[in-house]
Amino acid sequence: MPRGFSADEKQQIRDQLLEKGRTLFEQYGLKKTNVEDLTRAVGISKGAFYLFFDSKEELFFEIVDQVQDEFRQKVFAQVVENATSARESFKLFLRVLFKELENYPLLYAVGKDEYEILLRKLPRQIAEEHLSRDAQVMEQFLDYFKGMGRFREVEGQLFANLGVSLYLLWMHREDMIFTRFGETMEIWIDLLANYLIPEE
């Protein structure tokens, strides 16, 4: 049975689990990282781990939520700092988003099927909160660019689908038969921006 920890020790251990967990999940992936790896990195017993998280999946999703916040702030900071017209700012947003995404493997390392399995392993409230935050982020993106100028009226789900389509293109960049993926991506960014912001 794990020994008791003081309030300060609990906070330090929790912070270390989040920090070391991010490193391990980024390096080895969720499947190949087990609870023993996490506890060894922090210096606690396996039993003690469950004082902080019910599963490695719960730890993983808390880390992903933190990473998403960090990623979103970093992307928006660059867009706001260099904002011009609505259309050009939207193009910049997409360019920065996919450039920065390469530095955040946790945001694209889990496939759709695995992601759905992970959600089912989480307590319902945590899964719903995670999905709700994702929807809120999408709405924030949409509201920001709508506030900048003439933006086509699109329902949130359609906007999300358009974004996912571009994301899937980026995810399969290594599968392209020919080179010049950068130019291909740029054309799709132009097409999407011109559709969503038809006039300025």
Side-chain angles (χ1 to χ4, degrees), residues 30 60-61 64 105-116 118 167 171:
L30 180 61
F60 177 80
F61 269 96
V64 167
L106 282 187
L107 299 184
Y108 61 86
V110 177
K112 178 179 178 290
D113 292 340
E114 187 180 9
Y115 183 74
E116 290 174 352
L118 288 172
Y167 168 76
M171 280 291 290

Side-chain angles (χ1 to χ4, degrees), residues 140-155:
Q140 288 172 355
F141 286 161
L142 190 55
D143 290 344
Y144 175 79
F145 290 106
K146 279 184 175 179
M148 287 193 69
R150 189 179 180 87
F151 202 98
R152 187 185 296 274
E153 283 298 322
V154 292
E155 189 263 330

